Amino acid sequence: MPPCHLITGGAGFIGSCHVLRSRTAGVRVVNLDKLTYSGNPENLAALRDDPDHIFVRGDIGNDELTAHLLEIHQPDAVINFAAESHVDRSIHDPDAFVRTNVLGTCALLRAALRYWKALPEDRRAAFRFLHVSTDEVFGALRPGDPAFAETTAYAPNSPYSASKAAGDHLVRAFHETYGLPTLITNCSNNYGPRQFPEKLIPLILCNALARKPLPIYGTGGNIRDWLHVEDHCEALSLVLEKGEPGRTYNIGGRSERTNLEVVRALCGILDRLRPHPDGPYADLIAFVADRPGHDFRYAVDCGRLERELGWKPRHGFEQGLEDTVRWYLDHQDWTDRVRNGEYRAWLETNYGGRRA
Ligand code: NAD
Ligand code: TYD
């Protein structure tokens, strides 16, 4: 029997990458996704005729549904990607983040615990609940601070990171209290194909191609540590296979860049690959009102993952970014389709009041 994983949020950016990789590796996948605005079945088009990819539209908060899926498919692991994932949206509607990232995670944990307890002993020993989280739970770093380690205290600053932190605490508590074999990963900003164009890199690409302003919050000096989505998913497979239950693992790209550096790099790549007669793309850069509570810097120390599990990122940032730009240039129909009415309304909500 091939291994079977229940993957939640598998129609989103990172989840779909992991689902595709899992199928290539021969893992049977039950994919539970609510298909919110960022969930896109088109991300899984390559699996349309694959009988070992079972897609179920549903909410991780529905524990009757998850209990049923666990019972009939008997997975060896649950990997939880499902989340509300965008900081700016959390500023406008924190409750949605509590519902999925806190209450939803708790409901999924309850269902997994009941299922795990009833497994025969050998399968109980092998079972894992892997929860995908973020470095944002650690708060913000100043310029010379050491990078976040697994031992760094949680200090979330946005409703998004606070809800992810609460979810992480519940996962930890289910291990300590009930013995559920959980793993938590905290990763840095991902980039790569199929990222919803509300996040910095795809938003800038979409706006640049439409000759719209490229909004940079504040001065553009804020720093993120960029991780290619394929490197992230490779790390998740390693943690699932070799990680020690009850532990957490940081995943980072060792690629710290200011937002302005990232946007200028994107403009430079577009100037080479898709030059525009009206001039360089960087002319479109517009500094706009800052994000409230904007974390200054994230940087992840992924030494534990490298030392203990032998992981190393394969993608250098410059090449990874150029490959990502090429993907978006080759898939403009994908972006056209996701930029529906909801997306346009979001742009008005988030950017309407910010003056250049
Ligand atoms: P995404 O927004 O692209 O995808 C989230 C997916 O979850 C969507 O398919 C959505 O439909 C689904 N979903 C949302 N609520 C659900 C619910 N209640 N029940 C079932 N499905 C639901 O997000 P992403 O960027 O792919 O992020 C995946 C995970 O990785 C999240 O947990 C996020 O916090 C974490 N993470 C992301 C990044 C990043 O840079 N993108 C960085 C660190 C951590
Ligand atoms: P984002 O992609 O939203 O990820 P996160 O907030 O989780 O780090 O933003 C990445 C950085 O880019 C962050 O510092 C905010 C900034 N940013 C802008 O300057 N302009 C934008 O339009 C967006 C969406 C983000």
Side-chain angles (χ1 to χ4, degrees):
M1 278 283 278
C4 175
H5 295 171
L6 172 62
I7 297 182
T8 72
F13 164 48
I14 307 173
S16 62
C17 177
H18 198 76
V19 167
L20 293 168
R21 289 174 61 97
S22 300
R23 287 302 303 129
T24 304
V27 176
R28 192 161 183 267
V29 172
V30 181
N31 184 350
L32 173 65
D33 195 300
K34 190 178 173 182
L35 297 182
T36 66
Y37 73 91
S38 69
N40 184 354
E42 207 181 320
N43 293 344
L44 305 158
L47 304 178
R48 197 163 285 139
D49 300 319
D50 181 347
D52 286 324
H53 172 246
I54 299 121
F55 184 82
V56 180
R57 183 173 191 180
D59 194 317
I60 56 166
N62 179 348
D63 56 355
E64 275 178 34
L65 172 64
T66 48
H68 176 68
L69 294 176
L70 290 163
E71 192 50 41
I72 60 172
H73 295 292
Q74 293 287 310
D76 309 288
V78 173
I79 311 178
N80 185 27
F81 291 94
E84 290 293 335
S85 68
H86 188 37
V87 173
D88 291 318
R89 287 190 191 247
S90 81
I91 294 168
H92 290 276
D93 180 14
D95 289 23
F97 287 69
V98 173
R99 276 193 297 275
T100 287
N101 302 357
V102 187
L103 299 176
T105 298
C106 189
L108 185 65
L109 281 162
R110 271 194 277 107
L113 178 64
R114 274 200 306 275
Y115 166 74
W116 172 73
K117 278 186 169 164
L119 286 175
E121 205 171 317
D122 54 333
R123 294 198 49 219
R124 201 172 340 134
F127 181 83
R128 296 288 181 269
F129 184 105
L130 170 56
H131 179 69
V132 178
S133 189
T134 168
D135 59 355
E136 302 191 25
V137 296
F138 299 119
L141 296 169
R142 285 166 305 192
D145 287 347
F148 300 129
E150 285 83 356
T151 48
T152 304
Y154 277 28
N157 292 318
S158 71
Y160 164 66
S161 54
S163 68
K164 291 296 289 184
D168 292 10
H169 289 323
L170 285 165
V171 175
R172 178 190 156 87
F174 268 66
H175 175 73
E176 295 296 327
T177 304
Y178 310 110
L180 186 70
T182 60
L183 297 153
I184 298 175
T185 53
N186 296 94
C187 73
S188 59
N189 287 62
N190 282 223
Y191 71 100
R194 295 182 293 270
Q195 186 169 30
F196 191 79
E198 64 187 351
K199 306 278 167 58
L200 179 69
I201 290 176
L203 182 115
I204 293 295
L205 287 173
C206 288
N207 281 19
L209 292 171
R211 299 302 290 177
K212 289 192 185 147
L214 312 181
I216 297 195
Y217 297 164
T219 63
N222 301 62
I223 294 167
R224 298 293 181 264
D225 176 358
W226 292 95
L227 170 68
H228 196 279
V229 64
E230 294 279 353
D231 287 331
H232 179 196
C233 292
E234 192 166 327
L236 294 176
S237 298
L238 269 178
V239 170
L240 195 63
E241 189 193 339
K242 299 189 195 162
E244 195 183 311
R247 293 195 101 189
T248 72
Y249 295 86
N250 280 356
I251 313 173
R254 295 200 186 280
S255 294
E256 285 184 59
R257 300 286 186 283
T258 66
N259 293 337
L260 197 51
E261 283 171 335
V262 172
V263 173
R264 286 208 172 116
L266 288 169
C267 290
I269 297 168
L270 284 175
D271 286 337
R272 264 193 293 115
L273 299 182
R274 190 65 61 90
H276 198 278
D278 291 350
Y281 287 91
D283 289 352
L284 298 170
I285 288 176
F287 292 91
V288 300
D290 208 351
R291 171 189 282 173
H294 194 175
D295 284 339
F296 178 67
R297 172 181 164 233
Y298 305 139
V300 168
D301 174 356
C302 43
R304 172 178 288 177
L305 190 65
E306 291 172 341
R307 279 190 312 276
E308 297 183 13
L309 308 189
W311 176 84
K312 257 210 312 275
R314 289 180 198 271
H315 294 79
F317 183 64
E318 276 64 34
Q319 187 59 51
L321 199 63
E322 174 155 343
D323 295 346
T324 302
V325 174
R326 286 184 191 278
W327 189 89
Y328 279 91
L329 288 174
D330 291 345
H331 294 83
Q332 285 192 52
D333 50 340
W334 181 95
T335 21
D336 288 346
R337 279 194 287 273
V338 299
R339 287 185 303 164
N340 56 18
E342 192 281 341
Y343 182 74
R344 285 193 294 275
W346 164 248
L347 293 184
E348 185 49 35
T349 303
N350 193 43
Y351 297 97
R354 294 179 199 256
R355 280 180 200 288

